[in-house]
Amino acid sequence: MKITNICCIGAGYVGGPTMAVIAKHNPDIKVTVVDMNAARIAAWNDSDVNNIPIYEPGLSDIVAETRGRNLFFSTDVDQAIFDAEMIFISVNTPTKTYGKGKGMASDLKYIELCARQIAHVAKDDKIVIEKSTLPVRTAQTIKSILKHTGNGVQYQILSNPEFLAEGTAIRDLENPDRVLIGGDHNEEGQKAIDALVKIYEAWIPKEKILTTNVWSSELSKLTANAFLAQRVSSINAISELCEVTGADVTEVARSIGMDSRIGSKFLQASVGFGGSCFQKDILNLVYIAKSYGLTEVADYWEQVIIMNDYQKTRFAHNIIRTLYNTVSGKKIAFLGWAFKKDTNDTRESAAIYVADILLNEQAELMVLDPKVDKETIYADLDYLKTRAPEENRKLVDVSSDPYEVCKDAHAVTILTEWDEFNTYDWQKIFDNMKKPAFVFDGRNLLDAIKMKEIGFMYESIGVR
Ligand code: NAD
Ligand code: UDX
């Protein structure tokens, strides 16, 4: 089966970059990314590629190369579904905020809407691909919706979860550790799998393309994120033990990471993991385990989240305690708001929760993030509903000038590991701060010895 026309529903952090890379390596295939968010599509179509809605190193170059050639962005979802032989569903699957499973289960309403729209529009056979991260056995739901349309259209459902990390999306897509494709092990299922394999083979070695049954593929995605997040919570748990014993968490991480069975990646102690995936996917895993009555399994994974919440709270409380038990009316500089460097995404960023705790104590915050705008910062705080929006605007200000952000501050906090924070003139920052001048480095980013030589009271994670 030769694919000539692909549609992707969802022009977000996954749909946009993934389809751009597929289009780049498959110039003969027309790829149309559709979204019901008209503003987002307009931004993808902005004549200046620097204005596309997602910041990812290398992405704008690929969009410049492919957009209008074989990559298109549109709000006409029906037309794109109608035309395509292969449809990726890459819509958001956030944690439910209502009803059964509230605060734990994935909200699949957008997935179901997509399935219903496909069922309504399709007039010929389609391969439907789950690109979104989904609870194990969701393909069953999609299949059931598509099967009951009665218009004779045949569907094959594949699971093709995405493993890219934000900030390195293009690198991860160009050179993935593996591509995972789950499908039915019958003749038609195999044909669909082969069609998708062919698209990836345009740039990925065959041995890196793994095929499994649908349920293994769905569950592997949740499991991969749970394992990665577990490593961060594990090293963060050890970071507190380091602080009370005189061990240094960076030395411990290096020492254990050299054991090839453990490996050195994902052992960076921090103020806590953020991002739209880890928490959502683990909560979902916990919910699934509970729904099958597997209490011990659920409790085991839930602890990863409990530890992460503790790490964020612990960081904020340490600031308050160190600033003589009161931050009321004190200016605190926030360097970083995104959940990690090289992205403009702030979903579940630790910075939001640390800020919220400090604001409860009436601190005055001044924030700088190289890629996050003022409105997003206010929206993130307002979303928590901890205080009135006017109050957030009164207590929080934003600037792009680090020297203004830190001027007269009692403390500077590092919440995101942006490289540029290391290039600042820290002597100048010190000279203009209130004394004693505190730095709370939630990313162990700055040079501790240099900072102490300048005169800062410098604290990082897992080192005292
Ligand atoms: P996102 O919120 O950035 O994008 C999703 C888009 O889908 C939105 O623009 C929304 O308007 C659109 N949408 C929702 N329902 C629609 C519908 N019925 N019709 C048309 N458009 C619709 O989300 P994302 O970060 O790209 O994540 C998408 C999925 O990929 C999630 O399941 C997520 O768990 C998974 N994932 C995300 C990442 C990541 O790093 N962000 C990595 C791997 C997997
Ligand atoms: C994650 C997975 O890595 C990716 O495979 C999946 O597709 C989506 O979820 P992402 O959330 O974009 O990607 O970024 P990631 O690099 O995993 O970082 C997640 C969070 O953990 C960030 O807040 C990061 O700062 C934090 N982190 C990561 C640490 O605190 N320490 C580490 O050692 C690694």
Side-chain angles (χ1 to χ4, degrees):
M1 192 187 312
K2 172 96 181 86
I3 301 296
T4 60
N5 201 317
I6 288 176
C7 158
C8 173
I9 310 177
Y13 282 87
V14 169
T18 309
M19 292 303 126
V21 172
I22 286 183
K24 175 185 162 190
H25 292 287
N26 291 274
D28 299 335
I29 300 180
K30 181 181 177 192
V31 180
T32 307
V33 189
V34 291
D35 204 295
M36 59 186 181
N37 181 339
R40 210 168 203 185
I41 290 297
W44 279 111
N45 283 323
D46 196 292
S47 54
D48 181 352
V49 281
N50 294 313
N51 292 337
I52 56 175
I54 286 163
Y55 175 72
E56 272 295 338
L59 175 60
S60 57
D61 290 342
I62 299 179
V63 171
E65 179 189 337
T66 51
R67 199 179 58 185
R69 181 189 77 182
N70 65 326
L71 178 66
F72 300 90
F73 295 93
S74 166
T75 49
D76 194 345
V77 183
D78 282 357
Q79 187 66 47
I81 291 173
F82 183 83
D83 290 340
E85 297 121 9
M86 187 177 260
I87 301 162
F88 287 84
I89 301 181
S90 188
V91 300
N92 38 327
T93 50
T95 304
K96 269 186 92 174
T97 53
Y98 56 90
K100 188 162 176 273
K102 177 179 170 177
M104 286 224 126
S106 279
D107 192 342
L108 299 180
K109 71 176 170 208
Y110 304 108
I111 295 288
E112 180 168 340
L113 276 173
C114 288
R116 289 187 183 280
Q117 198 160 0
I118 295 168
H120 179 65
V121 170
K123 293 284 174 286
D124 52 12
D125 297 353
K126 309 279 186 203
I127 299 172
V128 176
I129 301 171
E130 300 175 345
K131 185 49 113 179
S132 298
T133 302
L134 297 170
V136 54
R137 297 202 74 87
T138 304
Q140 192 74 34
T141 308
I142 297 178
K143 218 176 253 182
S144 163
I145 291 169
L146 294 175
K147 210 170 76 187
H148 288 97
T149 54
N151 59 3
V153 174
Q154 295 297 312
Y155 296 98
Q156 282 301 319
I157 318 292
L158 301 180
S159 159
N160 173 221
E162 184 48 60
F163 294 99
L164 69 78
E166 289 179 27
T168 54
I170 299 304
R171 202 176 70 200
D172 298 340
L173 287 165
E174 290 281 9
N175 190 18
D177 285 346
R178 75 333 206 154
V179 165
L180 179 57
I181 301 173
D184 283 347
H185 284 169
N186 53 32
E187 200 188 326
E188 287 307 307
Q190 195 55 49
K191 271 194 211 157
I193 292 172
D194 292 345
L196 184 55
V197 167
K198 216 166 152 46
I199 287 163
Y200 283 113
E201 266 181 359
W203 80 100
I204 293 163
K206 206 178 170 57
E207 61 275 13
K208 284 192 172 182
I209 305 175
L210 195 68
T211 59
T212 64
N213 78 31
V214 182
W215 319 129
S216 305
S217 175
E218 289 177 335
L219 187 57
S220 294
K221 175 64 200 178
L222 294 181
T223 307
N225 273 352
F227 269 61
L228 289 168
Q230 180 202 43
R231 283 175 71 94
V232 179
S233 275
S234 295
I235 199 71
N236 280 344
I238 297 299
S239 76
E240 188 173 25
L241 201 51
C242 287
E243 289 166 20
V244 294
T245 57
D248 174 333
V249 78
T250 46
E251 292 181 347
V252 173
R254 200 179 325 128
S255 310
I256 64 165
M258 282 176 77
D259 186 326
S260 61
R261 294 169 303 175
I262 295 174
S264 60
K265 292 180 183 164
F266 263 71
L267 290 178
Q268 175 69 51
S270 68
V271 56
F273 61 74
S276 64
C277 293
F278 280 178
Q279 176 165 307
K280 160 178 83 75
D281 293 346
I282 295 177
L283 287 173
N284 187 210
L285 194 66
V286 170
Y287 184 75
I288 294 168
K290 276 190 180 157
S291 70
Y292 285 103
L294 310 181
T295 310
E296 287 77 8
V297 177
D299 290 350
Y300 176 78
W301 287 108
E302 192 165 17
Q303 201 57 38
V304 174
I305 302 287
I306 293 170
M307 190 64 226
N308 195 51
D309 288 340
Y310 174 66
Q311 188 76 349
K312 292 182 276 191
T313 311
R314 186 169 90 76
F315 183 79
H317 287 166
N318 181 48
I319 294 174
I320 298 164
R321 196 172 47 246
T322 310
L323 294 183
Y324 312 105
N325 286 314
T326 176
V327 290
S328 178
K330 290 181 180 170
K331 177 176 172 181
I332 299 179
F334 261 53
L335 296 183
W337 193 264
F339 80 97
K340 63 186 284 199
K341 73 170 178 176
D342 291 338
T343 178
N344 59 350
D345 196 347
T346 64
R347 289 178 287 183
E348 292 300 332
S349 180
I352 303 169
Y353 298 96
V354 174
D356 195 48
I357 293 172
L358 296 177
L359 289 170
N360 279 344
E361 296 293 327
Q362 298 174 349
E364 291 171 12
L365 310 184
M366 185 87 157
V367 186
L368 178 155
D369 188 288
K371 291 288 171 194
V372 180
D373 59 30
K374 200 172 184 164
E375 286 321 306
T376 304
I377 292 168
Y378 287 140
D380 287 339
L381 290 169
D382 292 348
Y383 183 77
L384 298 179
K385 293 198 170 80
T386 312
R387 65 194 70 72
E390 306 78 58
E391 190 74 0
N392 284 328
R393 279 148 192 79
K394 206 175 92 193
L395 291 172
V396 182
D397 204 353
V398 180
S399 164
S400 57
D401 176 356
Y403 305 104
E404 188 193 338
V405 165
C406 300
K407 191 173 177 338
D408 292 328
H410 286 260
V412 173
T413 57
I414 312 280
L415 278 309
T416 314
E417 71 283 22
W418 286 101
D419 294 336
E420 72 167 57
F421 299 161
N422 254 316
T423 67
Y424 293 169
D425 181 345
W426 283 97
Q427 182 66 55
K428 184 173 163 185
I429 290 175
F430 177 79
D431 292 344
N432 290 316
M433 280 176 68
K434 293 261 192 281
K435 306 295 176 320
F438 292 93
V439 170
F440 299 94
D441 187 346
R443 296 292 183 165
N444 295 5
L445 179 74
L446 304 174
D447 183 333
I449 296 174
K450 233 163 62 192
M451 294 298 282
K452 285 177 186 166
E453 271 171 12
I454 290 173
F456 284 109
M457 309 289 279
Y458 174 83
E459 286 197 11
S460 54
I461 305 278
V463 191
R464 284 289 179 272

